[in-house]
Amino acid sequence: MNTVFVLSNTKKPLMPTRPARARRLLRDKKAAVYRMYPFTIILKERADGETQPIEAKFDPGSKTTGIALVAEFPQQGRVVLWAANLNHRGDSIRKRLADRRAIRRNRRNRKTRYRQMRVLNRKRPQGWLPPSLQSRVDNVENWLKKIIDRAPIAAVAVETARFDTQALQNPEISGVEYQQGELAGYELREYLLEKWNRTCAYCGAQHVPLEIEHIVSRSKGGSDRVSNLTLACHDCNQKKGNQPLEVFLAHDPKRLARIKAHAKAPLKDAAAVNVIRYAIGNALKKFGLPVSFWSGGRTKKNRVLQGYTKDHWIDAACVGETGAEVHIPQEMRPLIITATGRGHRQFTRVNKFGFPCAKAKTGKTVNEIRTGDVVKLIQPKGKYAGEYCARVTAIKNSNNYISITVNHKQTWFAAKLAHIMQRGDGYAYAYA
Ligand SMILES: [Zn+2]
């Protein structure tokens, strides 16, 4: 179990405590619940307490970021106090923006007179990231802020990239690479190793020295673009020479198709991770805490040497020098945080042709409850009789109903049966 965050009566963050002690404090009315997720209590009388420095550690990923809070005690050594897996929502943001763009284009084509095209008069500010990536950076920044408000954090450690996209002349993420070509020598090699999984593309050999190989050879006019490069062992490289790929792999059409498809596909996830990690590092510096950066290789070594399984929050706990010796309590279960956003501003649903197809949206609340709030709900009778504590997944204005998930199914209840435990904050919570 995660430890419980504790605030003093002046909302000063104190040392997190064991769940059993938190229960006792609550039962004796010495504390009250401050937040459900992450579970935080506030003491009624004490204004201060002894604290040890806690390190907040992050392992940023493209879909999930691991978070771990580690404190050092004189006897037990370094112990993970609290951990979470933060799930990002990059894909859904991209999809919503694409939908919005399509709907607007359609409407303007129907309703607006012809207007001459505007020149490209829009500029992107420095450090601009695509919204789907920016949201990941914002998620992590937001959670460090929440954690600083709840625990005595003294230092931050972040895992950074294996290869530095700042040194890549054209990170694939913006698609420039296709137009402009080259990556810098060492970074290019690392990038290709990652993209081709450290394997000879032609024979599948691993753990052998690999050479950078032009798919369409230079002598036949092949370019130095990343999409024309792969990795081959020395033998395969020699054997292929300047033959076209189709001839060289005529006996193995499956492999041929796979190589062709893979060469064109950019290393999206990895590229995204690198861009995000760099941006996250910068974002975390804003809080005025010492931030240290560590390589992924070190994290993996720390984790494997200590015999821990792979999980995002465990990786986070193993980041950096302090990750070489860290005790993870056996009963530790991370909080699963999923970024959900805060709804949308679209007023009319549209059909697949982009025409309005439903009534315009009315209010966003029923009985002051809105989607994303955590409510306590008592249904006195019927099939769903019982007490529930859950996140509101949708509201219906027409009959003042709200829905929560019961047994994996969306289930509707009258809003008057519910009262709000915690306001929605753009995240959904669960325990692993
Ligand atoms: Zn080979």
Side-chain angles (χ1 to χ4, degrees):
M1 218 28 206
N2 271 328
T3 52
V4 174
F5 291 117
V6 182
L7 298 180
S8 78
N9 60 3
T10 53
K11 293 190 187 171
K12 181 177 178 255
L14 302 178
M15 251 353 232
T17 186
R18 282 171 291 110
R21 183 154 167 269
R23 266 197 301 277
R24 208 159 54 233
L25 288 167
L26 289 170
R27 191 191 57 209
D28 298 345
K29 305 260 188 291
K30 285 183 178 160
V33 176
Y34 184 73
R35 282 282 185 284
M36 301 271 296
Y37 302 102
F39 195 63
T40 309
I41 60 173
I42 182 162
L43 300 177
K44 289 185 177 170
E45 275 142 38
R46 243 175 55 210
D48 214 338
E50 211 176 292
T51 59
Q52 272 96 5
I54 297 179
E55 193 179 19
K57 304 175 99 179
F58 294 87
D59 170 29
S62 119
K63 294 201 173 69
T64 305
T65 291
I67 307 174
L69 300 188
V70 178
E72 194 172 349
F73 298 99
Q75 281 113 37
Q76 301 119 296
R78 291 195 187 91
V79 182
V80 176
L81 294 180
W82 185 88
N85 280 351
L86 171 57
N87 297 322
H88 302 296
R89 58 189 283 264
D91 274 356
S92 83
I93 290 178
R94 213 198 49 223
K95 193 180 165 299
R96 278 194 182 179
L97 288 175
D99 285 353
R100 185 180 73 181
R101 190 178 306 127
I103 291 167
R104 284 186 177 170
R105 160 118 344 124
N106 189 315
R107 187 181 64 238
R108 285 175 186 151
N109 281 342
R110 287 199 310 267
K111 303 253 193 206
T112 321
R113 69 180 163 80
Y114 173 76
R115 288 192 177 108
Q116 201 170 27
M117 195 186 88
R118 281 208 274 186
V119 288
L120 289 173
N121 58 355
R122 291 159 171 87
K123 249 201 205 146
R124 278 168 177 167
Q126 232 196 344
W128 179 91
L129 284 177
S132 57
L133 299 194
Q134 186 63 47
S135 97
R136 292 162 177 150
V137 176
D138 291 344
N139 286 163
V140 176
E141 189 184 330
N142 185 226
W143 270 92
L144 179 59
K145 188 173 182 305
K146 279 186 204 287
I147 290 169
I148 288 175
D149 287 345
R150 286 174 170 77
I153 303 296
V156 180
V158 194
E159 188 190 296
T160 47
R162 239 165 308 177
F163 44 87
D164 182 4
T165 30
Q166 295 313 107
L168 298 179
Q169 284 172 350
N170 332 290
E172 274 188 330
I173 208 71
S174 56
V176 188
E177 171 240 335
Y178 288 103
Q179 293 122 44
Q180 293 181 358
E182 251 165 272
L183 306 171
Y186 169 77
E187 300 299 335
L188 171 69
R189 222 187 127 67
E190 282 298 301
Y191 183 91
L192 285 173
L193 282 169
E194 191 70 14
K195 177 166 173 175
W196 294 93
N197 202 15
R198 290 159 203 275
T199 314
C200 169
Y202 300 137
C203 69
Q206 279 184 320
H207 310 295
V208 292
L210 294 171
E211 297 170 355
I212 294 178
E213 147 79 11
H214 288 74
I215 294 173
V216 178
S217 67
R218 295 270 286 283
S219 65
K220 292 273 164 69
S223 75
D224 282 338
R225 289 179 192 175
V226 180
S227 56
N228 188 41
L229 296 176
T230 181
L231 293 169
C233 63
H234 184 72
D235 288 353
C236 291
N237 201 352
Q238 292 293 317
K239 256 188 262 168
K240 178 169 175 286
N242 66 355
Q243 298 176 61
L245 191 63
E246 288 79 4
V247 176
F248 180 63
L249 286 177
H251 63 283
D252 193 350
K254 261 193 200 156
R255 188 181 287 271
L256 174 67
R258 201 166 63 229
I259 291 175
K260 275 182 156 177
H262 198 64
K264 287 266 157 55
L267 186 50
K268 267 215 183 108
D269 265 13
V273 168
N274 284 340
V275 173
I276 299 164
R277 283 176 167 176
Y278 184 79
I280 284 176
N282 278 340
L284 297 188
K285 281 184 199 160
K286 282 185 213 161
F287 293 93
L289 292 166
V291 181
S292 56
F293 299 94
W294 303 93
S295 81
R298 179 162 204 151
T299 301
K300 191 175 173 191
K301 189 177 144 211
N302 285 344
R303 173 166 59 75
V304 172
L305 281 181
Q306 293 178 89
Y308 293 134
T309 49
K310 167 136 189 74
D311 201 338
H312 298 281
W313 64 274
I314 294 176
D315 267 344
C318 294
V319 165
E321 217 165 74
T322 53
E325 241 176 79
V326 58
H327 174 63
I328 299 175
Q330 202 133 61
E331 66 282 3
M332 193 70 169
R333 295 284 171 273
L335 179 65
I336 308 295
I337 306 161
T338 306
T340 56
R342 295 162 190 264
H344 53 79
R345 296 188 184 81
Q346 190 180 341
F347 263 79
T348 315
R349 298 263 176 87
V350 292
N351 63 15
K352 66 176 174 181
F353 304 108
F355 286 92
C357 73
K359 263 190 211 162
K361 183 161 97 176
T362 48
K364 261 189 146 178
T365 61
V366 291
N367 289 11
E368 302 205 349
I369 298 170
R370 61 174 68 207
T371 304
D373 292 348
V374 177
V375 295
K376 196 168 198 175
L377 194 151
I378 299 165
Q379 172 69 274
K381 56 185 190 228
K383 188 175 161 192
Y384 291 103
E387 196 179 311
Y388 305 91
C389 182
R391 178 177 179 274
V392 175
T393 53
I395 62 161
K396 215 184 261 178
N397 276 105
S398 53
N399 56 3
N400 283 3
Y401 265 50
I402 60 171
S403 79
I404 59 174
T405 307
V406 179
N407 296 332
H408 307 290
K409 249 182 84 184
Q410 188 183 27
T411 313
W412 292 92
F413 293 92
K416 65 182 177 196
L417 300 173
H419 72 266
I420 300 169
M421 302 292 288
Q422 176 170 332
R423 279 287 182 201
D425 57 359
Y427 299 95
Y429 301 95
Y431 280 100

